[in-house]
Amino acid sequence: MPTASWNGVVIAEAKDDEVEIVENNVYFPPSSVKTEYLQASAHTSRCPWKGLASYYSLNVNGKLNENAAWYYPEPSEKAAQIKDHVAFWRGVDVQR
């Protein structure tokens, strides 16, 4: 079962058939992410084929991990399967 954890807390957990793997990143469906740990961020980035990514910072047990999660609210047609799915980096432990 894929999980994402940071600062000792599981912040996302999904069944194998619920996640999408794109460019070796695990994208968790929105329903599998514990939103109480997410804080909206103004940060964005652009992927040439996926589109404009938006970011969340993580706030877990009083520690902040800025821009540690990203998602595509309006992905390109080629990446439609990851719409609103959340991926993690910056020290977040993602297990497949």
Side-chain angles (χ1 to χ4, degrees):
M1 179 173 285
T3 61
S5 59
W6 184 72
N7 199 24
V9 174
V10 174
I11 52 179
E13 185 172 37
K15 295 177 182 171
D16 288 329
D17 63 350
E18 294 176 325
V19 299
E20 297 289 337
I21 310 294
V22 178
E23 295 180 328
N24 210 32
N25 292 303
V26 178
Y27 284 82
F28 291 85
S31 62
S32 72
V33 180
K34 296 179 181 177
T35 58
E36 64 267 26
Y37 299 117
L38 304 181
Q39 291 182 346
S41 170
H43 186 72
T44 61
S45 64
R46 182 169 297 280
C47 172
W49 74 273
K50 290 185 296 257
L52 184 66
S54 295
Y55 284 74
Y56 294 115
S57 293
L58 300 177
N59 190 336
V60 178
N61 293 329
K63 286 194 173 182
L64 185 67
N65 189 345
E66 291 188 28
N67 305 319
W70 74 93
Y71 65 102
Y72 291 89
E74 302 286 333
S76 70
E77 286 184 33
K78 293 178 185 175
Q81 77 276 13
I82 61 169
K83 179 177 175 38
D84 294 327
H85 284 51
V86 181
F88 300 93
W89 68 328
R90 294 199 169 167
V92 176
D93 181 27
V94 177
Q95 297 293 317
R96 293 163 56 178

mmCIF file of all heavy atoms in Angstrom, residues 6-7 9 11 34-40 56-68:
data_model
loop_
_atom_site.group_PDB
_atom_site.id
_atom_site.type_symbol
_atom_site.label_atom_id
_atom_site.label_comp_id
_atom_site.label_asym_id
_atom_site.label_seq_id
_atom_site.Cartn_x
_atom_site.Cartn_y
_atom_site.Cartn_z
ATOM 1 N N TRP A 6 5.934 12.154 6.729
ATOM 2 C CA TRP A 6 6.929 13.174 7.035
ATOM 3 C C TRP A 6 6.791 13.564 8.497
ATOM 4 O O TRP A 6 5.674 13.641 9.027
ATOM 5 C CB TRP A 6 6.747 14.405 6.137
ATOM 6 C CG TRP A 6 7.813 15.430 6.353
ATOM 7 C CD1 TRP A 6 9.123 15.344 5.974
ATOM 8 C CD2 TRP A 6 7.685 16.671 7.025
ATOM 9 N NE1 TRP A 6 9.819 16.453 6.371
ATOM 10 C CE2 TRP A 6 8.953 17.299 7.021
ATOM 11 C CE3 TRP A 6 6.625 17.316 7.638
ATOM 12 C CZ2 TRP A 6 9.186 18.534 7.608
ATOM 13 C CZ3 TRP A 6 6.850 18.557 8.221
ATOM 14 C CH2 TRP A 6 8.124 19.153 8.195
ATOM 15 N N ASN A 7 7.917 13.768 9.150
ATOM 16 C CA ASN A 7 7.961 14.177 10.550
ATOM 17 C C ASN A 7 7.162 13.210 11.432
ATOM 18 O O ASN A 7 6.460 13.615 12.351
ATOM 19 C CB ASN A 7 7.457 15.614 10.704
ATOM 20 C CG ASN A 7 7.909 16.251 12.011
ATOM 21 O OD1 ASN A 7 8.906 15.856 12.591
ATOM 22 N ND2 ASN A 7 7.159 17.239 12.461
ATOM 23 N N VAL A 9 4.578 11.260 10.693
ATOM 24 C CA VAL A 9 3.140 11.140 10.469
ATOM 25 C C VAL A 9 2.867 10.713 9.028
ATOM 26 O O VAL A 9 3.465 11.252 8.096
ATOM 27 C CB VAL A 9 2.432 12.487 10.758
ATOM 28 C CG1 VAL A 9 0.958 12.433 10.393
ATOM 29 C CG2 VAL A 9 2.604 12.885 12.220
ATOM 30 N N ILE A 11 0.910 11.062 5.881
ATOM 31 C CA ILE A 11 0.085 12.155 5.350
ATOM 32 C C ILE A 11 -0.722 11.729 4.128
ATOM 33 O O ILE A 11 -1.636 12.443 3.726
ATOM 34 C CB ILE A 11 0.939 13.403 5.034
ATOM 35 C CG1 ILE A 11 2.128 13.055 4.157
ATOM 36 C CG2 ILE A 11 1.385 14.074 6.308
ATOM 37 C CD1 ILE A 11 3.001 14.213 3.783
ATOM 38 N N LYS A 34 -4.311 13.384 3.783
ATOM 39 C CA LYS A 34 -4.835 13.998 5.003
ATOM 40 C C LYS A 34 -4.649 15.515 4.899
ATOM 41 O O LYS A 34 -3.577 16.054 5.191
ATOM 42 C CB LYS A 34 -4.133 13.421 6.223
ATOM 43 C CG LYS A 34 -4.405 11.937 6.383
ATOM 44 C CD LYS A 34 -3.685 11.360 7.574
ATOM 45 C CE LYS A 34 -3.958 9.869 7.677
ATOM 46 N NZ LYS A 34 -3.212 9.262 8.790
ATOM 47 N N THR A 35 -5.698 16.173 4.466
ATOM 48 C CA THR A 35 -5.624 17.603 4.134
ATOM 49 C C THR A 35 -5.341 18.498 5.331
ATOM 50 O O THR A 35 -4.925 19.634 5.143
ATOM 51 C CB THR A 35 -6.901 18.071 3.425
ATOM 52 O OG1 THR A 35 -8.026 17.803 4.272
ATOM 53 C CG2 THR A 35 -7.079 17.348 2.093
ATOM 54 N N GLU A 36 -5.530 17.999 6.536
ATOM 55 C CA GLU A 36 -5.235 18.831 7.712
ATOM 56 C C GLU A 36 -3.749 19.184 7.811
ATOM 57 O O GLU A 36 -3.373 20.111 8.521
ATOM 58 C CB GLU A 36 -5.717 18.160 9.002
ATOM 59 C CG GLU A 36 -5.037 16.854 9.360
ATOM 60 C CD GLU A 36 -5.756 15.610 8.845
ATOM 61 O OE1 GLU A 36 -6.483 15.690 7.838
ATOM 62 O OE2 GLU A 36 -5.585 14.552 9.474
ATOM 63 N N TYR A 37 -2.902 18.461 7.073
ATOM 64 C CA TYR A 37 -1.469 18.749 7.084
ATOM 65 C C TYR A 37 -1.021 19.632 5.919
ATOM 66 O O TYR A 37 0.146 19.987 5.833
ATOM 67 C CB TYR A 37 -0.668 17.445 7.062
ATOM 68 C CG TYR A 37 -0.949 16.576 8.257
ATOM 69 C CD1 TYR A 37 -1.517 15.318 8.099
ATOM 70 C CD2 TYR A 37 -0.670 17.007 9.550
ATOM 71 C CE1 TYR A 37 -1.786 14.505 9.193
ATOM 72 C CE2 TYR A 37 -0.941 16.216 10.653
ATOM 73 C CZ TYR A 37 -1.502 14.975 10.467
ATOM 74 O OH TYR A 37 -1.771 14.179 11.559
ATOM 75 N N LEU A 38 -1.929 19.974 5.019
ATOM 76 C CA LEU A 38 -1.596 20.769 3.833
ATOM 77 C C LEU A 38 -1.908 22.241 4.042
ATOM 78 O O LEU A 38 -2.940 22.592 4.609
ATOM 79 C CB LEU A 38 -2.386 20.275 2.615
ATOM 80 C CG LEU A 38 -2.255 18.813 2.217
ATOM 81 C CD1 LEU A 38 -3.101 18.546 0.979
ATOM 82 C CD2 LEU A 38 -0.810 18.426 1.984
ATOM 83 N N GLN A 39 -1.006 23.089 3.562
ATOM 84 C CA GLN A 39 -1.229 24.529 3.536
ATOM 85 C C GLN A 39 -0.999 24.998 2.106
ATOM 86 O O GLN A 39 0.041 24.692 1.510
ATOM 87 C CB GLN A 39 -0.241 25.266 4.451
ATOM 88 C CG GLN A 39 -0.452 25.020 5.913
ATOM 89 C CD GLN A 39 0.528 25.815 6.767
ATOM 90 O OE1 GLN A 39 1.514 26.348 6.273
ATOM 91 N NE2 GLN A 39 0.261 25.891 8.043
ATOM 92 N N ALA A 40 -1.960 25.723 1.568
ATOM 93 C CA ALA A 40 -1.819 26.237 0.209
ATOM 94 C C ALA A 40 -0.562 27.103 0.105
ATOM 95 O O ALA A 40 -0.201 27.811 1.034
ATOM 96 C CB ALA A 40 -3.049 27.040 -0.174
ATOM 97 N N TYR A 56 1.615 22.695 -2.227
ATOM 98 C CA TYR A 56 1.228 22.778 -0.821
ATOM 99 C C TYR A 56 2.494 22.716 0.011
ATOM 100 O O TYR A 56 3.455 22.040 -0.351
ATOM 101 C CB TYR A 56 0.381 21.569 -0.391
ATOM 102 C CG TYR A 56 -0.968 21.442 -1.019
ATOM 103 C CD1 TYR A 56 -1.252 20.367 -1.851
ATOM 104 C CD2 TYR A 56 -1.981 22.352 -0.738
ATOM 105 C CE1 TYR A 56 -2.508 20.203 -2.401
ATOM 106 C CE2 TYR A 56 -3.239 22.199 -1.293
ATOM 107 C CZ TYR A 56 -3.498 21.125 -2.122
ATOM 108 O OH TYR A 56 -4.744 20.969 -2.663
ATOM 109 N N SER A 57 2.473 23.389 1.144
ATOM 110 C CA SER A 57 3.478 23.171 2.171
ATOM 111 C C SER A 57 2.867 22.210 3.179
ATOM 112 O O SER A 57 1.648 22.117 3.299
ATOM 113 C CB SER A 57 3.850 24.493 2.849
ATOM 114 O OG SER A 57 4.502 25.339 1.932
ATOM 115 N N LEU A 58 3.715 21.477 3.874
ATOM 116 C CA LEU A 58 3.249 20.553 4.903
ATOM 117 C C LEU A 58 3.501 21.161 6.270
ATOM 118 O O LEU A 58 4.573 21.728 6.521
ATOM 119 C CB LEU A 58 3.994 19.222 4.813
ATOM 120 C CG LEU A 58 3.856 18.455 3.509
ATOM 121 C CD1 LEU A 58 4.708 17.195 3.553
ATOM 122 C CD2 LEU A 58 2.404 18.107 3.245
ATOM 123 N N ASN A 59 2.527 21.044 7.147
ATOM 124 C CA ASN A 59 2.671 21.479 8.529
ATOM 125 C C ASN A 59 2.289 20.287 9.398
ATOM 126 O O ASN A 59 1.114 19.949 9.514
ATOM 127 C CB ASN A 59 1.774 22.680 8.816
ATOM 128 C CG ASN A 59 2.088 23.304 10.159
ATOM 129 O OD1 ASN A 59 2.624 22.656 11.048
ATOM 130 N ND2 ASN A 59 1.761 24.570 10.295
ATOM 131 N N VAL A 60 3.328 19.646 9.965
ATOM 132 C CA VAL A 60 3.133 18.420 10.731
ATOM 133 C C VAL A 60 3.825 18.558 12.078
ATOM 134 O O VAL A 60 5.030 18.812 12.146
ATOM 135 C CB VAL A 60 3.693 17.196 9.967
ATOM 136 C CG1 VAL A 60 3.529 15.932 10.797
ATOM 137 C CG2 VAL A 60 3.023 17.045 8.613
ATOM 138 N N ASN A 61 3.058 18.410 13.135
ATOM 139 C CA ASN A 61 3.590 18.493 14.502
ATOM 140 C C ASN A 61 4.421 19.759 14.719
ATOM 141 O O ASN A 61 5.491 19.720 15.324
ATOM 142 C CB ASN A 61 4.408 17.248 14.848
ATOM 143 C CG ASN A 61 3.554 16.010 14.931
ATOM 144 O OD1 ASN A 61 2.381 16.086 15.293
ATOM 145 N ND2 ASN A 61 4.111 14.866 14.587
ATOM 146 N N GLY A 62 3.949 20.867 14.179
ATOM 147 C CA GLY A 62 4.606 22.153 14.391
ATOM 148 C C GLY A 62 5.792 22.429 13.491
ATOM 149 O O GLY A 62 6.419 23.475 13.601
ATOM 150 N N LYS A 63 6.113 21.516 12.586
ATOM 151 C CA LYS A 63 7.214 21.739 11.644
ATOM 152 C C LYS A 63 6.653 22.001 10.254
ATOM 153 O O LYS A 63 5.700 21.349 9.827
ATOM 154 C CB LYS A 63 8.158 20.539 11.600
ATOM 155 C CG LYS A 63 9.042 20.415 12.810
ATOM 156 C CD LYS A 63 10.152 19.440 12.539
ATOM 157 C CE LYS A 63 11.148 19.449 13.689
ATOM 158 N NZ LYS A 63 12.255 18.547 13.408
ATOM 159 N N LEU A 64 7.273 22.942 9.552
ATOM 160 C CA LEU A 64 6.835 23.329 8.222
ATOM 161 C C LEU A 64 7.823 22.839 7.172
ATOM 162 O O LEU A 64 9.031 23.011 7.318
ATOM 163 C CB LEU A 64 6.703 24.856 8.142
ATOM 164 C CG LEU A 64 6.149 25.428 6.846
ATOM 165 C CD1 LEU A 64 4.686 25.022 6.665
ATOM 166 C CD2 LEU A 64 6.267 26.945 6.860
ATOM 167 N N ASN A 65 7.312 22.220 6.121
ATOM 168 C CA ASN A 65 8.109 21.776 4.981
ATOM 169 C C ASN A 65 7.514 22.489 3.768
ATOM 170 O O ASN A 65 6.494 22.076 3.230
ATOM 171 C CB ASN A 65 8.036 20.253 4.837
ATOM 172 C CG ASN A 65 9.008 19.711 3.822
ATOM 173 O OD1 ASN A 65 9.568 20.450 3.015
ATOM 174 N ND2 ASN A 65 9.203 18.405 3.838
ATOM 175 N N GLU A 66 8.145 23.587 3.382
ATOM 176 C CA GLU A 66 7.591 24.447 2.336
ATOM 177 C C GLU A 66 7.624 23.786 0.960
ATOM 178 O O GLU A 66 8.627 23.192 0.570
ATOM 179 C CB GLU A 66 8.335 25.785 2.299
ATOM 180 C CG GLU A 66 8.050 26.622 3.535
ATOM 181 C CD GLU A 66 8.605 28.020 3.443
ATOM 182 O OE1 GLU A 66 8.729 28.549 2.327
ATOM 183 O OE2 GLU A 66 8.903 28.582 4.510
ATOM 184 N N ASN A 67 6.504 23.909 0.263
ATOM 185 C CA ASN A 67 6.365 23.435 -1.125
ATOM 186 C C ASN A 67 6.766 21.969 -1.279
ATOM 187 O O ASN A 67 7.371 21.582 -2.277
ATOM 188 C CB ASN A 67 7.176 24.327 -2.071
ATOM 189 C CG ASN A 67 6.793 25.785 -1.934
ATOM 190 O OD1 ASN A 67 5.617 26.106 -1.810
ATOM 191 N ND2 ASN A 67 7.773 26.662 -1.936
ATOM 192 N N ALA A 68 6.396 21.159 -0.311
ATOM 193 C CA ALA A 68 6.789 19.744 -0.309
ATOM 194 C C ALA A 68 5.820 18.843 -1.059
ATOM 195 O O ALA A 68 6.077 17.648 -1.203
ATOM 196 C CB ALA A 68 6.941 19.257 1.128
#
